[in-house]
Amino acid sequence: MRDTENMEAEMEYDDGEEPSFSDPEDFVDDISDQELLGDVLRERPLEADGIDSVVVVDNVPQVGPERLEKLKNVIQKIFSKFGKITNEFYPDADGKTKGYIFLEYSTPSHAHEAVKNADGYKLDKQHTFRVNLFTDFDKYMSICDEWETPEKQPFKDFGNLRHWMEDTDCRDQYSVIYDSGERTGIFANDVKEPIEVEERARWTETYVRWSPKGTYLATFHQRGIALWGGEKFKQIQRFSHQGVQLIDFSPCERYVVTFSPLMDTKDDPQAIIIWDVLTGQKKRGFHCESSAHWPIFKWSPDGKFFARMTQDTLSIYETPSMGLLDKKSLKINGIKDFSWSPGDNIIAFWVPEDKDIPARVTLMQLPSRNEIRVRNLFNVVDCKLHWQKNGDYLCVKVDRTPKGTQGVVTNFEIFRMREKQVPVDVVEMKESIIAFAWEPNGSKFAVLHGESPRINVSFYHVKNNGKIDLIKMFDKQQANSIFWSPQGQFLVLAGLRSMNGALAFVDTSDCTMMNIAEHYMASDVEWDPTGRYVVTSVSWWSHKVDNAFWLWTFQGRLLQKNNKERFCQLLWRPRPPSLLTEEQIKLIKKDLKKYSKIFEQKDRLSQSKASKELVDKRRTMMEDYRKYRERAIDMYNEQRPLRLELRGGVDTDELDSNIDDWEEETIEFFINEEIIPIGDL
């Protein structure tokens, strides 16, 4: 029926005028475009879309069409390292480029990376790139011409972060994790017994670390790292890094490096993050394929530079920009290992042999990158770099296989860093090397060599006349580790774990064995910062029984046995460098006898104080007993009427009471009988 009506209507339209579909003049359209075409409008490109990924590069060479292709190749090579370039534009005028270009990356993070690393890149003597984000131009244009004073931030007082240095008895502190990691305590070291400073449950989820100068205590948590300090160990800073496992501080304590295997992404590197300790801000993130050789970044002694080694590349970064030094890495084919000098901004690295090119050890000065010494080596199997604590010497342990011989021979290549042209001395060892260690503040080194049960320890002295002398050798030692005192001269030879904790305390001034002892199944040895005490311990993490830490003097005299339930870790709190000058230290050493008398007197007072404390304790106990006895007598006298009533009026308190009621009874006993004959008289 409706179809018929529609057909009739169409016939009417065909016969007459077409209807008008225009709105009346007074019609008001109240339906918005968003309601009608919302799904289409949402996909409409915005004017600012994509500009977050665009960078502007200034100071680009102005070239004509004949050199434009070469320029584009150079630009691609430099800027494609930071991400994929999807578009590029080279403005030109009068047949030449204008000296600036536009590059568009696939993501804004790549554009930020290009600005961070390529800004200031020196292409040649006349051209140094200036790189900015395209969006920065709007930001700079909208800056107000009038200066506004920044709002002052409230000062957070965390107290004296080095209060433990003011201890009148100069007691050092150490951290202890026990109860299988459930409890963490901070203790002050004392000859008699540890003095608890702070103790908390579940303070950390794995382990703790002190900062290099002892200012901060770092604790690990699933969500990140927390730093504690001050007299009451308040939380000073925290860094959010999910799943953090490893940590490292810069030597100046200004920066902290964290590693987590959980958060790394291709566009936003999060595996390794460098943080500013004071502000808590993230300075930069890095990718990390493996954390097997931690720390990934190694710091210069002043904390101004840090370096990282990748395949055939050594990347050196500078602070506080966290950018590459001179905007480029060092290309070093085959680089195997590197290490900073502890005393200067010098890097040592070694490269293995490559066909006819010998292996070499190179010393490079930073930031100039001048090679101050190169040492060629032949038939090299492996090298290890060992710096002396002050950077006065570098020992390169070289394992080599001489031609025509079987087996490995070890040479110690000793670089004298403080002498002109850095001369090198060689010490050859024909036995296998177990351990090597420099004296921290001296020119001696110790070597464990041989094979069990014939393990020997040799002591060498690097002399100023260009010679290295063997001072002493002890044979048949039960040791696999060398632990020097932080002050030098004294050391502990330890046979850890499989060697059942054998200990030998040695004075290297005359190479005498001061004491031989044992801490069964010891897993760790830790010297205190002063070199007066040393701790041996059996960690629950490595051995499930006999968990404890023992305190020894540097001479090997046992002072304490501290048994902690499921003890895990002990770390001494480091001390910051002394504020005294070299002249003041020499003067103190010169007048040491005068100071030693003061210390001896203080020790005697301490002992007498201990005796006085014991006497006072006994007197207090006696006084408590006397008061208790008086109370008992008073109670006894108060209960006398009750006793008489219960005993029918008979007073049993005194032995001679109620004498009238006594009855006398005589009892005879036959004791002995003796018969004497009369005739014998």
Side-chain angles (χ1 to χ4, degrees):
M1 183 68 180
R2 287 188 179 180
D3 290 342
T4 306
E5 292 177 356
N6 290 338
M7 288 176 64
E8 291 177 357
E10 288 177 2
M11 289 174 65
E12 290 178 7
Y13 293 149
D14 290 340
D15 295 338
E17 254 182 52
E18 291 187 4
S20 174
F21 293 98
S22 300
D23 294 327
E25 292 182 1
D26 58 346
F27 178 78
V28 179
D29 187 1
D30 57 354
I31 302 176
S32 66
D33 292 343
Q34 188 65 34
E35 291 178 287
L36 286 174
L37 304 170
D39 53 342
V40 177
L41 291 174
R42 278 193 293 272
E43 298 178 4
R44 180 180 60 183
L46 299 175
E47 184 180 347
D49 274 358
I51 65 172
D52 289 341
S53 304
V54 177
V55 298
V56 183
V57 185
D58 285 308
N59 297 334
V60 178
Q62 297 181 7
V63 298
E66 69 280 357
R67 296 179 59 195
L68 181 59
E69 194 63 32
K70 184 178 180 181
L71 176 63
K72 288 184 176 182
N73 291 336
V74 172
I75 294 294
Q76 277 285 341
K77 184 177 180 181
I78 295 171
F79 286 89
S80 61
K81 293 186 294 186
F82 313 116
K84 183 181 178 182
I85 298 175
T86 59
N87 198 3
E88 58 184 8
F89 177 58
Y90 290 74
D92 57 3
D94 300 328
K96 279 190 175 184
T97 57
K98 288 188 173 183
Y100 60 90
I101 63 173
F102 299 87
L103 300 176
E104 183 178 359
Y105 284 92
S106 57
T107 64
S109 62
H110 292 163
H112 282 274
E113 197 73 13
V115 172
K116 186 184 297 183
N117 291 283
D119 185 37
Y121 182 89
K122 192 172 183 180
L123 183 65
D124 53 38
K125 291 183 179 180
Q126 286 80 30
H127 300 91
T128 301
F129 292 157
R130 298 313 309 264
V131 186
N132 292 281
L133 292 170
F134 187 79
T135 53
D136 286 343
F137 286 91
D138 288 336
K139 181 176 70 175
Y140 297 144
M141 293 296 291
S142 61
I143 293 177
C144 182
D145 293 335
E146 295 181 5
W147 165 255
E148 292 184 7
T149 305
E151 184 180 348
K152 288 185 178 181
Q153 299 296 321
F155 173 70
K156 295 181 180 180
D157 186 7
F158 297 109
N160 184 2
L161 296 180
R162 293 185 176 175
H163 73 286
W164 88 98
M165 299 295 295
E166 298 177 351
D167 186 86
T168 54
D169 294 320
C170 302
R171 288 183 288 242
D172 283 288
Q173 294 183 356
Y174 53 81
S175 64
V176 175
I177 297 178
Y178 60 100
D179 197 11
S180 64
E182 286 293 309
R183 306 197 73 82
T184 303
I186 310 297
F187 296 88
N189 181 41
D190 191 80
V191 176
K192 303 176 188 67
E193 60 180 356
I195 301 172
E196 184 179 292
V197 177
E198 191 75 23
E199 198 268 349
R200 297 176 190 176
R202 293 179 292 280
W203 199 349
T204 183
E205 294 182 16
T206 51
Y207 61 101
V208 300
R209 274 284 304 273
W210 291 103
S211 60
K213 297 179 182 179
T215 309
Y216 309 107
L217 178 71
T219 57
F220 288 71
H221 310 274
Q222 182 61 30
R223 294 185 178 181
I225 295 291
L227 296 187
W228 312 80
E231 189 173 354
K232 298 296 183 182
F233 285 92
K234 297 178 181 178
Q235 187 180 103
I236 294 174
Q237 198 60 266
R238 58 182 179 181
F239 311 100
S240 179
H241 199 181
Q242 191 76 17
V244 63
Q245 293 182 353
L246 300 169
I247 187 177
D248 187 40
F249 284 91
S250 65
C252 59
E253 295 188 339
R254 179 62 193 271
Y255 305 102
V256 63
V257 186
T258 59
F259 166 77
S260 170
L262 303 181
M263 298 184 64
D264 206 19
T265 60
K266 185 178 180 180
D267 295 335
D268 187 18
Q270 295 279 343
I272 295 177
I273 298 178
I274 300 180
W275 308 86
D276 188 310
V277 170
L278 298 180
T279 64
Q281 292 181 346
K282 173 185 172 182
K283 300 297 289 184
R284 186 171 176 182
F286 294 88
H287 294 295
C288 181
E289 296 177 359
S290 172
S291 63
H293 301 286
W294 184 261
I296 302 296
F297 291 102
K298 298 178 183 179
W299 291 87
S300 64
D302 57 6
K304 291 183 179 179
F305 305 98
F306 58 98
R308 176 186 191 179
M309 183 184 70
T310 53
Q311 186 174 1
D312 298 333
T313 305
L314 181 62
S315 301
I316 303 169
Y317 301 84
E318 56 185 345
T319 61
S321 67
M322 302 298 163
L324 279 169
L325 180 64
D326 295 335
K327 305 300 178 183
K328 57 184 176 181
S329 299
L330 290 170
K331 186 73 173 177
I332 306 172
N333 291 327
I335 183 172
K336 282 289 186 181
D337 193 16
F338 78 98
S339 180
W340 286 93
S341 164
D344 306 279
N345 287 339
I346 295 174
I347 277 185
F349 63 87
W350 81 277
V351 177
E353 295 179 73
D354 183 16
K355 298 178 182 177
D356 296 332
I357 303 174
R360 71 183 189 275
V361 174
T362 304
L363 299 176
M364 180 181 290
Q365 183 87 43
L366 271 301
S368 64
R369 304 195 183 192
N370 293 331
E371 294 184 355
I372 59 177
R373 188 69 162 89
V374 177
R375 175 78 167 175
N376 291 329
L377 306 169
F378 300 90
N379 305 315
V380 173
V381 177
D382 191 23
C383 286
K384 297 293 182 187
L385 306 173
H386 301 276
W387 283 97
Q388 189 252 12
K389 181 183 175 184
N390 298 325
D392 297 337
Y393 305 98
L394 167 66
C395 172
V396 181
K397 173 181 167 286
V398 183
D399 296 330
R400 50 163 54 100
T401 52
K403 291 182 179 179
T405 61
Q406 292 183 346
V408 177
V409 175
T410 299
N411 283 4
F412 293 118
E413 308 271 340
I414 309 296
F415 292 70
R416 299 171 180 264
M417 299 300 299
R418 304 303 180 197
E419 297 183 26
K420 190 176 181 180
Q421 295 181 344
V422 191
V424 180
D425 301 311
V426 180
V427 177
E428 185 174 333
M429 305 287 292
K430 295 185 178 180
E431 295 182 315
S432 61
I433 305 301
I434 300 171
F436 173 95
W438 280 103
E439 181 183 20
N441 296 319
S443 54
K444 294 191 287 285
F445 61 87
V447 184
L448 278 173
H449 52 93
E451 294 182 1
S452 184
R454 295 188 61 85
I455 296 176
N456 307 319
V457 58
S458 297
F459 298 97
Y460 291 87
H461 183 206
V462 182
K463 293 193 171 181
N464 294 328
N465 59 6
K467 293 183 178 179
I468 299 178
D469 292 345
L470 174 63
I471 307 172
K472 183 79 174 179
M473 186 181 80
F474 294 110
D475 58 358
K476 296 182 180 179
Q477 296 296 308
Q478 282 188 294
N480 53 20
S481 303
I482 304 169
F483 298 94
W484 281 93
S485 162
Q487 305 303 322
Q489 184 177 343
F490 305 102
L491 62 78
V492 174
L493 300 173
L496 301 179
R497 297 179 176 86
S498 60
M499 289 191 173
N500 296 332
L503 304 170
F505 295 82
V506 183
D507 182 355
T508 62
S509 62
D510 53 5
C511 287
T512 55
M513 286 277 187
M514 297 183 292
N515 190 26
I516 295 176
E518 182 184 80
H519 185 177
Y520 183 68
M521 293 306 294
S523 57
D524 300 283
V525 176
E526 295 280 347
W527 281 93
D528 87 313
T530 66
R532 293 181 295 172
Y533 305 101
V534 62
V535 165
T536 59
S537 59
V538 181
S539 172
W540 184 78
W541 290 335
S542 60
H543 195 65
K544 299 302 181 185
V545 295
D546 300 326
N547 305 128
F549 65 92
W550 294 2
L551 181 71
W552 311 74
T553 66
F554 68 94
Q555 297 165 317
R557 181 165 59 89
L558 182 61
L559 297 176
Q560 298 173 15
K561 290 185 178 181
N562 294 286
N563 298 314
K564 287 284 187 183
E565 187 72 20
R566 288 171 291 179
F567 163 83
C568 298
Q569 181 196 51
L570 181 144
L571 290 177
W572 288 95
R573 187 174 193 173
R575 286 190 172 202
S578 174
L579 300 177
L580 300 176
T581 63
E582 291 293 331
E583 291 75 17
Q584 290 173 321
I585 293 174
K586 287 180 180 178
L587 185 62
I588 290 173
K589 289 182 177 179
K590 183 180 178 181
D591 298 335
L592 195 58
K593 289 185 178 180
K594 180 181 72 175
Y595 292 111
S596 62
K597 290 180 181 179
I598 299 173
F599 295 142
E600 288 171 3
Q601 184 181 4
K602 193 169 184 179
D603 288 342
R604 285 195 297 270
L605 286 172
S606 177
Q607 292 175 1
S608 63
K609 181 181 178 182
S611 302
K612 184 177 181 299
E613 288 176 354
L614 183 61
V615 171
D616 291 342
K617 184 178 180 181
R618 289 176 177 174
R619 283 178 178 171
T620 303
M621 292 174 67
M622 189 64 191
E623 183 66 21
D624 291 341
Y625 168 72
R626 187 185 62 78
K627 291 179 179 178
Y628 167 75
R629 187 172 181 276
E630 289 178 355
R631 289 197 302 271
I633 291 174
D634 291 342
M635 184 182 297
Y636 182 79
N637 292 333
E638 290 175 1
Q639 293 175 349
R640 176 181 171 82
L642 183 60
R643 286 196 300 277
L644 289 174
E645 182 181 347
L646 292 172
R647 295 167 186 170
V650 178
D651 186 5
T652 58
D653 291 353
E654 303 292 340
L655 292 176
D656 56 350
S657 62
N658 299 314
I659 193 170
D660 297 336
D661 297 331
W662 287 6
E663 293 182 1
E664 184 175 351
E665 183 179 352
T666 304
I667 301 174
E668 295 181 355
F669 294 94
F670 179 76
I671 300 174
N672 192 14
E673 180 181 2
E674 185 178 355
I675 300 174
I676 302 174
I678 297 175
D680 293 340
L681 295 173

